Amino acid sequence: MDWITTVDHKKIAVLYLWAGGFFFGIGGLEAILIRIQLIKPMNTFLDAQTFNELITMHGTTMIFLGVMPIIFALMNAVIPLQIGARDVAFPFLNALGFWTFLFGGLLLNLSWIMGGAPDAGWTAYTPLSSADYSATHGVDFYTIGLQIAGLGTLIGGINFLATIITMRAPGMSFMRMPMFAWATFITSAIILFAFPAITVGLVLLTFDRILGANFFDVAGGGNPVLWQHIFWIFGHPEVYILILPAFGIISEVIPTFSRKRLFGYSSMVFATILIAFLGFMVWAHHMFTTGLGPVANALFSVSTMLIAVPTGIKIFNWLFTMWGGQVRFTSANLFAVGFIPTFTMGGVTGVMLASAPADFQFHDTYFVVAHFHYVIVGGLVLGLFSGLHYWWPKMFGRMLSETLGKWTFWTFIIGFHMTFFVQHFLGLMGMQRRVFTYLPNQDFDLLNLISTIGAGLMGVGMIIFLLNVFLTSRKPADAGNDPWEDGRTLEWTIPSPPPEYNFKQTPLVRGLDAFWKEKTAGHKAMTPSEPVGSIHMPSATPLPFVMSVGIFIAGLGFMFSRDEFGSAVMSFLFNNYIVTALGLLITFGSMLLRSLYDDHGWHIEPEELEGS
Amino acid sequence: MMKMWQAGKRLLPMTAALGLILAGCGREDLSVLRPQGPEAETSFGLMKLAITIMIVVLLIVFGIAAYVLVRYRRKPGQNEIPEQVEGSFKLEVLWTVIPLILVVVLAVPTVKAVFAAGDDHSGDANAVKVKVTGHQYWWEFEYTDYGITTAQDLVIPVGKDIAFELSTKDVLHSFWVPSLSGKIDTNPDGTTNRFSFSAPNEGVYRGKCAELCGPSHGFMEFKVKSVSEAAFEEWIASMKAPAVLPEDPALAEKFRSACLTCHAVGDQGIAGAGPDLTGIGSRESVAGILLNDDTREDGAPIEENLKTWLHDPESVKPGNLMPDPKEELGLTDEEIDGIAEYLAGYTLN
Ligand code: HEM
Ligand SMILES: [Cu+2]
């Protein structure tokens, strides 16, 4: 109950982490099934339809429901602490964002048990995703589930923007902000501009499918290429939404474990902004073979290649952060150090893909599968692992086992390269992606076998990590404020896990790496910027949860509004949009309640603070 | 500008070495790395240039990383605080400018090749014009100048430019012959694409569909058969000959009523609902994937392949749109075998 009503950013972080971990597990199982099917030519382990559902759900789940919430978990856990705030700007919205994400994700995954998962790829290109060619409710689960989950992401993004803009501790100018906070800030800005595009796209597709509209149907005056534009105008920035937080994490971990400040801080900030900006300019590089013509192809080729420049700046700055430092190989740092070459490999294949005439060959092959997994798994997932090992003691007050952490790292990264390195060659040798099987004697067999074995090894790495989490949860919570001893930023100045109010007194920030600065000046703690006083806290409330349940019901109701049911009562309820209306009523009712009932929250008084 | 080209030229020996290594990868009739025509050659050239640049970049990054990790690992007892370096304007400019130069080295030939690939050959009197239509899960090829249509096997005269006009009858597909050229999508009418390639050598090349199009997407293959000019003319002529129907009149009637409502042979039947069957006995494959080559272990005689297909099309290509001959078209096993035998014998000279 406590968990359902909480509005505390630290608890919401934990909720995001468990939910994200849950969906990541589902996506991982899907991946393993896919790889088992592809272990040999003409395998009959899965049938073609199931396979297409698995790749669609794997991609969709991993991107929207697996890694995004884990990113949000880390942001929630860390950002307010890093900027010296007591909470996020809108705690109520924060909870609402989580619950809509969760119910959207659950709705999407209900498709497995309610008559067919989406099967048109995570990109859902029309006409394959239209009602004519994808007749089950699968794609409806996709459009409506993602719509609801996306609402949560958008809310979360806006919340972080507001938090970072308004709630930094005194003295923390933008140019003194930790890189992870910068990454979160820019990521949230991308979310703000990119998610409305997919929202519109999903609405149009839903209307095409459920209400018989013709936005993407040529016969009705629509255009399927329009969907590709809308999807990628969202979809390309989306990959930067994923990777920038990883950059942020790496920029925290490497300085800490090199005992040096980040090399070229201001160029890092500049590069992050530039990447975000260019990220919006390059969507059509996913569409070189669509037939946009040479002018568009040339422009998008060159603008895409330009992203290599700020990315290169980042990579060399990380390397030179370690230069002259004292590098410690903790698990967190192993993941960060492993990230650099692995991500670079994904980056260079990205530049190769940017060359349109070469992409005519790469596109929709396993080369592309290899590329984006190098970026997403070799980049983002390694980054997340690094961040989780790094901040785990802060979040839970317990240190993860270093031994198990190192085992996780080695099995995972070896498995990773085994799985995906060979896929570059599969693609170049003529294997298209999204094929449920392949004919023998095409020289594909051995490399696919290696790839599947590698995937198994990555699975082992994941299990070791889960084991680590489980064993750690049984240890006493005895981590100190600054368990890595070389913490540089504000989160390491307060207890692990932090008290509900984070900072008893808001700290005064006197430079970049505020805590490190105080430490080198011989201080043990931050100088406060205010006297100890009464702290205002928001009240817990079940309303965000209830509102999300309402949206969930409305979504289901709308989706089945055209169906015939065995029972007349059911048909009546659904076909007249009564279920939909009921769901919306719950949501809007809760909103009304929230605005009518004035809740001023509560206060923690100085006497109580002294006790702790 | 000049300097850049020199940098590019210095990469050439490595590019050549790389080409040799990569050329060992995959089948000649299928691999991107073993280009068999000028269009694939262009893509491959850009790939080699890009890979070379990228390997250089990777070597630098790996080198620095390895050095740093060995040289600067924290040693026991090392407790003094390292100098907190702000950054270095010179170094940072260096690694902004170098990637920029590398990008330009790659961008210039890229842009050239993009515009070359965009040339429209459809007005070229010398080019053979072919309309490609994608269907779930088969390929239709219409030779507009000659008034003939075929399916699954695209027969082309060696060395000549083929000017394609591509579209789809249902969902999106993508037309790809890796060893001859990059892919291009087939969009619905109204967003028709054009492109062209040529095959300087005679041979059979494997083509694939590269855009997810439903359950049998992975099986939506086709063959490109590059033949001498004379053989091509002969093929055209025999494709135009009147249809050959089964000798047995009863079987011919069955064939007409059960099969020709979707398929065509010569001047008979319906065009475009199912693959054209004219001269199917001379094709490289049945349904694009059952290879008619009994000298190979993954092939079988064409008659056997036809029987496999006709006895259960669904199990060969899941989700395909052909009705089951026995269950839905009411043919007996003997009739099916008879039709298979007839089709296997329906060859072109
Ligand atoms: C255990 C690790 C993973 C393995 C073994 C794996 C494997 C695969 C395979 C075999 C495919 C199908 C390729 C195709 O035929 O198109 C695929 C697709 C995909 N994967 Fe992964 N994957 C893993 C993790 C991830 C993660 C962590 C993400 C993202 C965060 C991800 C994102 C995607 C996406 C977006 C697709 C494309 C789906 C589509 O075609 O619609 N994967 N993966
Ligand atoms: Cu296809």
Side-chain angles (χ1 to χ4, degrees), chain A residues 326-327 357 363 442 488, chain B residues 43 72 80 84 176 183 208:
Chain A
Q326 298 164 5
V327 182
H363 182 66
Q442 303 187 89
R488 309 178 70 86
Chain B
S43 295
Y72 296 109
E80 81 289 353
Q84 303 292 302
W176 186 34
K183 60 187 74 64
K208 310 222 170 202

Side-chain angles (χ1 to χ4, degrees), chain B:
Chain B
M1 217 43 192
M2 221 34 234
K3 259 211 171 118
M4 233 159 49
W5 280 114
Q6 266 153 16
K9 285 226 180 72
R10 235 171 271 141
L11 295 175
L12 276 180
M14 193 163 156
T15 315
L18 212 80
L20 279 178
I21 298 169
L22 291 178
C25 283
R27 290 170 55 124
E28 205 168 73
D29 60 351
L30 173 63
S31 175
V32 169
L33 301 173
R34 310 185 69 177
Q36 305 296 315
E39 287 73 18
E41 200 65 74
T42 306
S43 295
F44 189 51
L46 279 170
M47 284 160 63
K48 280 189 295 186
L49 176 64
I51 295 178
T52 309
I53 296 177
M54 296 308 149
I55 288 183
V56 172
V57 171
L58 282 182
L59 287 179
I60 296 172
V61 170
F62 286 10
I64 298 180
Y67 175 76
V68 166
L69 294 179
V70 174
R71 170 78 178 68
Y72 296 109
R73 52 185 318 153
R74 187 171 182 183
K75 296 164 194 81
Q78 194 175 26
N79 270 326
E80 81 289 353
I81 299 292
E83 192 195 344
Q84 303 292 302
V85 190
E86 186 114 355
S88 155
F89 185 71
K90 270 196 207 132
L91 278 175
E92 286 162 55
V93 168
L94 186 74
W95 56 64
T96 311
V97 172
I98 292 181
L100 210 53
I101 294 176
L102 293 179
V103 163
V104 176
V105 171
L106 183 60
V108 172
T110 292
V111 170
K112 266 193 200 152
V114 167
F115 282 96
D119 278 351
D120 185 356
H121 292 247
S122 57
D124 185 345
N126 255 327
V128 177
K129 283 150 209 95
V130 177
K131 254 173 106 164
V132 176
T133 309
H135 299 259
Q136 280 177 322
Y137 305 96
W138 58 279
W139 293 93
E140 181 180 344
F141 306 112
E142 184 186 347
Y143 297 70
T144 40
D145 292 344
Y146 299 97
I148 59 168
T149 300
T150 186
Q152 314 294 20
D153 278 14
L154 171 68
V155 181
I156 60 171
V158 68
K160 269 210 167 175
D161 255 349
I162 318 296
F164 294 99
E165 191 186 312
L166 308 100
S167 64
T168 174
K169 269 273 146 8
D170 35 57
V171 303
L172 307 184
H173 305 276
S174 190
F175 178 83
W176 186 34
V177 193
S179 56
L180 291 182
S181 156
K183 60 187 74 64
I184 184 112
D185 293 359
T186 67
N187 299 332
D189 283 335
T191 41
T192 311
N193 278 329
R194 290 174 201 286
F195 95 137
S196 90
F197 65 57
S198 61
N201 306 313
E202 285 185 33
V204 179
Y205 305 95
R206 290 195 174 202
K208 310 222 170 202
C209 172
E211 179 68 65
L212 178 64
C213 58
S216 276
H217 159 56
F219 284 156
M220 191 170 156
E221 301 203 353
F222 60 100
K223 309 285 171 291
V224 177
K225 226 170 143 173
S226 162
V227 300
S228 72
E229 193 113 5
F232 180 71
E233 295 300 336
E234 203 177 327
W235 178 76
I236 295 283
S238 58
M239 281 295 287
K240 283 183 156 171
V244 181
L245 287 182
E247 269 164 40
D248 174 0
L251 196 62
E253 188 42 43
K254 262 278 150 126
F255 181 66
R256 212 191 300 263
S257 64
C259 312
L260 292 188
T261 48
C262 285
H263 295 280
V265 283
D267 49 354
Q268 309 228 359
I270 305 247
D276 189 291
L277 301 178
T278 313
I280 187 173
S282 306
R283 293 215 182 130
E284 297 292 321
S285 66
V286 171
I289 51 171
L290 301 172
L291 304 181
N292 303 331
D293 181 354
D294 44 357
T295 62
R296 299 168 33 146
E297 57 163 320
D298 56 346
I302 179 163
E303 190 176 330
E304 203 179 310
N305 283 339
L306 282 163
K307 283 181 186 167
T308 308
W309 173 256
L310 292 173
H311 280 287
D312 192 359
E314 176 63 24
S315 76
V316 177
K317 266 190 181 174
N320 84 80
L321 300 175
M322 167 155 156
D324 187 273
K326 194 163 165 184
E327 304 295 328
E328 288 164 82
L329 299 173
L331 299 186
T332 63
D333 283 338
E334 293 74 51
E335 286 167 335
I336 292 176
D337 290 346
I339 288 177
E341 191 184 343
Y342 144 73
L343 286 175
Y346 187 173
T347 55
L348 304 174
N349 34 24

Side-chain angles (χ1 to χ4, degrees), chain A residues 10-28:
Chain A
K10 297 174 287 298
K11 282 195 164 163
I12 291 174
V14 175
L15 286 172
Y16 265 119
L17 185 60
W18 292 142
F22 169 72
F23 288 124
F24 193 90
I26 294 184

